[in-house]
């Protein structure tokens, strides 16, 4: 009997278990997620439908990579890559000394504010954690900050790019869920800043409970000339943020057009600073190619496997399974959040978004939840995944630049209070959806 089409008689529940089992088994071997999903998609396309179904899957992949909004992803990644290689972030951190002043925990607050501004400039997470790990972590440790608090501030603050617009996570979610990315940005704005405020209050609380955990800066008077020099470090980043976010919220430009404005703004900023060189542009472009290539390949694989699963009737099967759990729609919502939380401990957020959102969104609409609001919940959930053991990316990013005596175990232990704050923020947005303006 030929293999082509031989699986078509298999019950969908057995096929779903087989597909999930193959994914896990192949991922354990160390094969990248993009190639695992493509391989499993091809196996089930041929086994369930035969060779004639392959064009149906490729057309789904084409529709993903052909989206105009997807152009904004490499633009924002390029912004982050240029920021990585310029001195903008370092000058911004130095300028924030004027905000922190002699406040107990001031450097921690300063780090969080810088993290928010950097997130609003590019929406990228990994590079931001590395930058803060190189700039802020040594200073906090030198001032005598509690090591766990300093680590947590850097990783949690650096991961705010998940929530603060223009977030790449929200862009990919918008593409997968087919909802307005502008609406997602507007809805995530307040929850993102709420989460940053939670971090800031936690730093202040730790400083109040134990002055040695978050000491104040030494009482050195900053000369006026130095203040002016430091303030100059604020001007260019704020102008870039105003240009990007102002053009989106003001209705002047789409997200894609605003991303191009952002790249132009960062390039002009590096030119004004005298840092724009051919090598900087070359290295930033190569970094962008590497990152976006990874996202595209994961997107291709995820689109293919979700496409064939949909043709098999798998999405209807999963939808019936979840909606049959309870008559209370919030129980189903919490179940979906739990699935995302568990997947976040092991998979990259891009894969999670592109594998689960096409399955979850029909359920969300059927339960009469707002898919934009659900997108904010998704982004908050991915915040948790960036910090969660055993594979939280934030810990590995920081470990790459942290002092040798700080191990991965130390980092994950330090992140636990911040994970609790993230879960608290997620719970608040679930209970009070009006926070998102929806």
């Amino acid at each position: 009997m030929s293999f082509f089409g031989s699986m078509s008689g298999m019950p969908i529940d057995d096929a779903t278990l087989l597909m999930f089992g193959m994914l896990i088994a192949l991922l354990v071997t160390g094969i990248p997620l993009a190639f695992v999903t493509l391989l499993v998609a091809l196996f089930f396309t041929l086994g369930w439908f035969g060779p004639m179904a392959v064009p149906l899957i490729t057309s789904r992949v084409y529709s993903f990579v052909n989206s105009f909004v997807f152009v904004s992803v490499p633009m924002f990644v390029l912004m982050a890559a240029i920021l990585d290689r310029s001195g903008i972030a370092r000058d911004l951190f130095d300028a924030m000394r004027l905000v922190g002043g002699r406040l107990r925990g001031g450097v921690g607050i300063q780090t969080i504010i810088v993290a928010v501004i950097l997130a609003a400039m590019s929406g990228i997470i990994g590079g931001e954690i590395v930058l803060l790990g190189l700039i802020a972590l040594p200073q906090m440790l030198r001032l005598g900050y509690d090591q766990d608090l300093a680590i947590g501030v850097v990783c949690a603050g650096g991961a705010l790019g998940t929530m603060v617009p223009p977030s790449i996570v929200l862009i990919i979610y918008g593409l997968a869920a087919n909802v307005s990315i502008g609406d997602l940005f507007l809805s995530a704005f307040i929850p993102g800043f709420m989460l940053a405020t939670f971090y800031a209050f936690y730093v202040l609380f730790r400083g109040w409970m134990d002055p040695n955990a978050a000491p104040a800066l030494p009482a050195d008077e900053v000369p006026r000339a130095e203040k002016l020099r430091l303030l100059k470090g604020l001007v260019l980043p704020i102008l870039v943020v105003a240009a990007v976010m102002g053009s989106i919220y003001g209705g002047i430009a789409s997200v894609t057009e605003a991303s191009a404005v952002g790249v132009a703004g960062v390039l002009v900023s590096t030119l004004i600073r005298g840092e724009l060189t051919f090598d900087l542009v070359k290295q930033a472009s190569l970094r962008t190619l590497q990152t976006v290539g990874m996202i595209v390949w994961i997107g291709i694989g995820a689109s293919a496997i979700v496409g064939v699963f949909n043709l098999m009737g798998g999405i209807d099967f999963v939808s019936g399974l979840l909606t049959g759990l309870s008559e209370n729609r919030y129980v189903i919502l919490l179940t979906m959040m739990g699935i995302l939380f568990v997947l976040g401990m092991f998979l990259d957020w891009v894969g999670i978004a592109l594998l689960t959102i096409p399955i979850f969104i029909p359920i969300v609409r059927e339960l009469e939840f707002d898919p934009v609001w659900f997108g904010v919940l998704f982004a908050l959930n991915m915040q948790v995944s960036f910090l969660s053991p055993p594979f939280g990316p934030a810990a590995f990013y920081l470990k790459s630049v942290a002092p040798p005596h700080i191990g991965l175990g130390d980092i994950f232990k330090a992140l636990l209070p911040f994970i609790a704050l993230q879960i608290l923020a997620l719970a608040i947005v679930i209970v009070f959806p009006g926070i998102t303006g929806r």
Side-chain angles (χ1 to χ4, degrees):
M1 179 178 172
S2 171
F3 168 71
F4 297 130
S6 62
M7 298 169 59
S8 57
M10 181 183 293
I12 188 60
D13 51 349
D14 291 343
T16 301
L17 284 174
L18 177 61
M19 180 179 284
F20 184 74
M22 285 184 66
L23 283 171
I24 297 297
L26 290 171
L27 284 171
V28 167
T29 65
I31 301 174
L33 176 64
F35 302 127
V36 167
T37 49
L38 275 172
L39 183 61
V40 174
L42 182 62
F43 178 84
F44 275 87
T45 301
L46 297 176
W48 198 279
F49 301 105
M52 298 302 290
V54 172
L56 294 176
I57 306 304
T58 56
S59 66
R60 182 184 176 93
V61 170
Y62 178 77
S63 66
F64 167 74
V65 297
N66 195 44
S67 171
F68 177 66
V69 178
F70 193 76
V71 176
S72 64
V73 174
M75 291 301 219
F76 285 125
V77 174
L78 180 59
M79 283 177 65
I82 295 171
L83 283 171
D84 275 354
R85 286 159 179 78
S86 72
I88 293 174
R90 186 175 297 276
D91 283 359
L92 180 61
F93 184 79
D94 290 341
M96 282 296 123
R97 282 167 48 194
L98 300 177
V99 176
R102 302 189 187 96
L103 180 69
R104 183 171 290 136
V107 178
I109 305 294
Q110 172 184 341
T111 303
I112 293 166
I113 294 173
V114 170
V116 170
I117 295 173
L118 290 176
M121 289 181 73
S122 66
I124 299 294
I125 298 120
E128 191 175 331
I129 292 173
V130 171
L131 278 172
L132 294 176
L134 289 170
I135 298 169
L137 183 64
Q139 183 166 346
M140 284 190 280
L141 295 178
R142 179 177 58 80
L143 290 172
Y145 269 64
D146 177 79
Q147 178 177 288
D148 287 354
L149 181 61
I151 290 170
V153 166
V154 168
C155 286
L160 283 169
T162 307
M163 284 297 302
V164 178
S167 163
I168 302 294
V169 174
L170 292 174
I171 293 173
I172 297 297
Y173 173 89
L175 287 170
N178 195 27
V179 297
S180 167
I181 294 171
D183 288 347
L184 284 168
F185 283 0
L186 282 170
S187 297
F189 189 83
I190 292 177
F193 281 92
M194 178 184 73
L195 189 56
T197 303
F198 284 179
Y199 297 157
F201 276 122
Y202 178 69
V203 172
L204 292 174
F205 173 75
R206 287 292 304 276
W208 178 66
M209 292 293 293
D210 179 8
N212 293 322
L217 281 170
D220 295 333
E221 188 64 35
V222 180
R224 176 174 293 185
E226 178 66 6
K227 284 183 179 180
L228 290 174
R229 188 192 70 80
L230 290 174
L231 284 172
K232 288 180 181 177
L234 287 172
V235 174
L236 291 175
I238 289 175
L239 286 176
V240 172
V241 171
V244 174
M245 303 314 300
S247 61
I248 294 173
Y249 293 143
I252 300 170
S254 67
V255 171
T256 306
E257 293 161 345
S259 67
V261 170
V263 171
V266 172
L267 285 172
V268 170
S269 298
T270 53
L271 178 63
I272 291 172
R273 294 169 53 87
E275 296 173 342
L276 186 61
T277 63
F278 175 77
D279 187 62
L280 182 146
V281 174
K282 176 185 174 184
Q283 294 302 320
S285 300
L286 289 173
R287 171 73 179 273
T288 302
L289 184 64
Q290 181 183 37
T291 303
V292 176
M294 178 269 294
I295 293 174
V296 169
W297 273 111
I298 291 177
I300 289 172
S303 298
I305 197 169
V306 170
V308 69
F309 191 56
N310 189 23
L311 288 175
M312 290 164 56
I315 291 180
D316 291 335
F317 167 71
V318 173
S319 176
L321 202 62
L322 285 173
T323 53
L325 286 174
S326 172
E327 293 183 0
N328 188 328
R329 62 179 186 159
Y330 283 96
V331 172
I332 301 169
L333 175 70
L334 292 175
T335 302
M336 289 190 284
M337 289 293 107
I339 292 170
L340 292 174
F341 178 80
V342 173
L343 290 175
M345 297 170 67
F346 303 100
L347 294 180
D348 183 89
W349 68 265
V350 182
I352 296 172
L354 296 174
L355 287 171
T356 62
I357 297 308
I359 298 173
F360 284 175
I361 282 300
I363 302 172
V364 168
R365 296 185 191 277
E366 184 181 340
L367 296 173
E368 298 183 349
F369 286 126
D370 188 329
V372 173
W373 171 70
F374 187 81
V376 177
L377 298 182
F378 175 81
L380 280 166
N381 206 308
M382 292 303 98
Q383 275 270 310
V384 181
S385 77
F386 271 101
L387 271 59
S388 298
F391 301 116
F396 291 91
Y397 287 133
L398 183 61
K399 176 58 183 169
S400 67
V401 294
H405 70 274
I406 297 178
L408 274 175
D410 299 321
I411 296 174
F412 279 123
K413 178 172 71 71
L415 296 180
L416 294 178
F418 292 88
I419 292 174
L421 291 173
Q422 292 172 335
I423 294 173
L424 173 63
L426 177 61
I428 288 173
V429 176
I430 290 175
V431 176
F432 303 105
I435 291 174
T436 64
R438 307 300 296 183

